[in-house]
């Protein structure tokens, strides 16, 4: 066991929710251990059935497994891990990430230098080294959704570090796959709202933190590799449940007809992408993938229109890793 992995007095609790991610999980945990010198504990809960959680605890004696409750969702899984955590800081980490260059130590040092904030993040990049567009998430607005329909994505890119940023900056939302937060703040706010089974749970949490006046920061000095969607960024299932999560957020936070308007805008944007895929999929592989990803959203809106209250939106039977 590494000397820095001291469950009795960790400075940081690393939380990993696994779901059908055995192919990635051991690499993720191994990279945390190899590239972190601060005293940490690593907690894993396995929501899936591929044996990834058991395999990683057998390989790494440092990992503390939390009993699986089946496919309870990303938000609920992190809540279970956080309840068992012993450190003053929590780091939520996706199993399809890889830590390099002492990224966790750097993030801890940044948090220590900026105690005015309650949550801190870094960057995520693709395996090829390209910036991850989902690294930081903008708090959605109807205006941004409307501009997206018109082809303007600028409203969806605000709220994060610029690709060429050299200094830390405030951000709207930290991606749930790489975010550090004070444990006491997490518990005071109840962690993730478990009605968000998958996607947008972090948006909901940071909206609540912002409403309470809390500061959230990100630094370009800490970066990890993220294989977005476990290598399936345009997976139809991933795209579908991302849409369900968006609607769950809209119905919780937007009053009156605003949620209905949001659904109409989301459907229009999805229909545009589906049509693009139909038109060009025969000669462009990405367009074909886009057609497959957006077909369920464009053709069966009743399955996502009411968020997780929609008929057919129950995700407990999912059989692929999505984070």
């Amino acid at each position: 066991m590494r000397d820095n992995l001291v469950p009795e007095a960790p400075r940081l609790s690393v939380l990993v929710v696994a779901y059908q991610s055995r192919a990635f999980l051991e690499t993720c945990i191994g990279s945390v251990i190899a590239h972190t010198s601060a005293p940490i504990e690593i907690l894993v809960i396995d929501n899936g059935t591929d044996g990834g959680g058991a395999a990683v605890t057998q390989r790494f004696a440092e990992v503390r497994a939390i009993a699986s409750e089946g496919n309870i969702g990303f938000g609920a899984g992190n809540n279970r891990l956080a309840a068992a955590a012993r450190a003053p800081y929590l780091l939520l980490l996706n199993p399809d990430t890889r830590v390099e260059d002492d990224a966790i130590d750097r993030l801890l040092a940044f948090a220590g230098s900026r105690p005015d904030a309650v949550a801190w993040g870094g960057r995520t990049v693709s395996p090829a080294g390209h910036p991850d567009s989902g690294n930081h998430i903008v708090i959605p607005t109807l205006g941004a959704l409307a501009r997206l329909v018109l082809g303007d994505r600028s409203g969806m890119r605000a709220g994060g570090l610029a690709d060429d940023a050299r200094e830390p900056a405030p951000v709207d939302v930290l991606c749930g796959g790489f975010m550090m937060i004070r444990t006491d703040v997490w518990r005071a706010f109840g962690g993730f709202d478990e009605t968000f089974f998958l996607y947008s749970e972090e948006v909901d949490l940071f909206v609540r933190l912002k409403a309470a006046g809390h500061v959230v920061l990100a630094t370009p000095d800490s970066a990890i590799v993220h294989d977005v969607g476990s290598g399936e960024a345009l997976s139809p299932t991933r795209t579908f449940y991302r849409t369900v999560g968006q609607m769950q957020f809209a119905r919780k936070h937007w009053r009156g007809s605003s949620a209905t308007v949001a659904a109409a805008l989301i459907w229009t944007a999805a229909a545009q992408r589906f049509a693009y895929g139909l038109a060009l999929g025969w000669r462009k592989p990405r367009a074909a993938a886009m057609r497959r990803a957006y077909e369920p959203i464009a053709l069966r809106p009743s399955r996502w229109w009411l968020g997780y209250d929609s008929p057919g939106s129950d995700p407990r039977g999912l059989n692929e890793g999505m984070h």
Side-chain angles (χ1 to χ4, degrees):
M1 181 178 290
R2 284 273 298 271
D3 291 342
N4 64 307
L5 290 149
V6 186
E8 293 79 9
R11 185 180 176 198
L12 174 71
S13 297
V14 179
L15 314 183
V16 182
V17 177
Y19 181 79
Q20 309 301 78
S21 50
R22 182 168 183 166
F24 298 87
L25 187 58
E26 292 187 36
T27 297
C28 171
I29 299 300
S31 73
V32 171
I33 295 170
H35 291 276
T36 309
S37 60
I40 64 172
E41 63 174 356
I42 303 172
L43 293 83
V44 173
I45 188 170
D46 193 349
N47 287 352
T49 58
D50 66 353
V56 81
T57 53
Q58 289 174 4
R59 178 175 174 185
F60 301 106
E62 301 92 340
V63 172
R64 184 153 59 103
I66 302 303
S68 173
E69 300 176 34
N71 189 13
I72 59 174
F74 182 74
N78 274 297
N79 286 348
R80 303 297 185 275
L81 294 173
R86 302 168 182 158
Y89 297 99
L90 307 174
L91 177 69
L92 279 61
L93 194 66
N94 271 6
D96 54 1
T97 59
R98 186 174 72 250
V99 176
E100 297 180 342
D101 299 325
D102 305 318
I104 291 176
D105 289 327
R106 291 170 181 263
L107 191 57
L108 268 170
F110 176 57
S113 72
R114 293 299 304 266
D116 53 310
V118 299
W120 308 263
R123 294 186 187 277
T124 56
V125 299
S126 73
H130 304 304
D132 177 5
S133 61
N135 186 34
H136 308 118
I137 305 168
V138 65
I139 294 175
T141 65
L142 286 178
L145 289 173
R147 291 196 296 275
L148 182 63
V149 168
L150 298 175
D152 178 4
R153 296 188 60 84
S154 61
M156 308 303 289
R157 296 193 183 105
L161 286 176
D163 290 347
D164 59 352
R166 296 179 179 272
E167 299 294 332
V171 297
D172 283 353
V173 179
L174 299 171
C175 174
F178 183 47
M179 57 170 275
M180 183 181 295
I181 185 169
R182 276 175 31 196
T183 305
D184 61 332
V185 171
W186 173 278
R187 291 173 177 166
F189 280 79
F192 286 143
D193 178 349
E194 294 182 17
T195 64
F196 292 82
F197 187 94
L198 190 67
Y199 295 116
S200 292
E201 61 279 291
E202 70 267 83
V203 184
D204 169 71
L205 174 61
F206 283 99
V207 166
R208 290 185 277 133
L209 290 174
K210 184 175 181 179
H214 288 304
V215 175
V216 178
L217 299 172
T219 175
D221 191 45
S222 174
I224 65 170
V225 176
H226 183 200
D227 194 349
V228 179
S230 300
E232 300 184 39
L234 277 176
S235 153
T237 308
R238 181 176 186 266
T239 304
F240 176 76
Y241 281 104
R242 187 175 62 222
T243 303
V244 177
Q246 288 175 326
M247 280 310 304
Q248 188 75 11
F249 175 87
R251 295 181 70 232
K252 177 176 178 177
H253 290 277
W254 297 347
R255 297 183 180 279
S257 62
S258 295
T260 301
V261 173
L265 291 170
I266 289 170
W267 178 86
T268 302
Q272 290 173 339
R273 286 157 177 75
F274 175 58
Y276 170 82
L278 278 177
L280 298 178
W282 63 276
R283 65 186 182 90
K284 291 185 177 183
R286 181 171 175 79
M290 191 173 292
R291 177 191 62 77
R292 291 190 296 271
Y294 286 97
E295 180 175 359
I297 303 166
L299 300 186
R300 293 184 288 279
S302 64
R303 295 186 60 211
W304 56 264
W305 198 273
L306 298 177
Y308 282 109
D309 290 331
S310 304
S313 68
D314 185 349
R316 285 173 292 183
L318 293 179
N319 58 7
E320 62 178 282
M322 296 184 303
H323 307 276

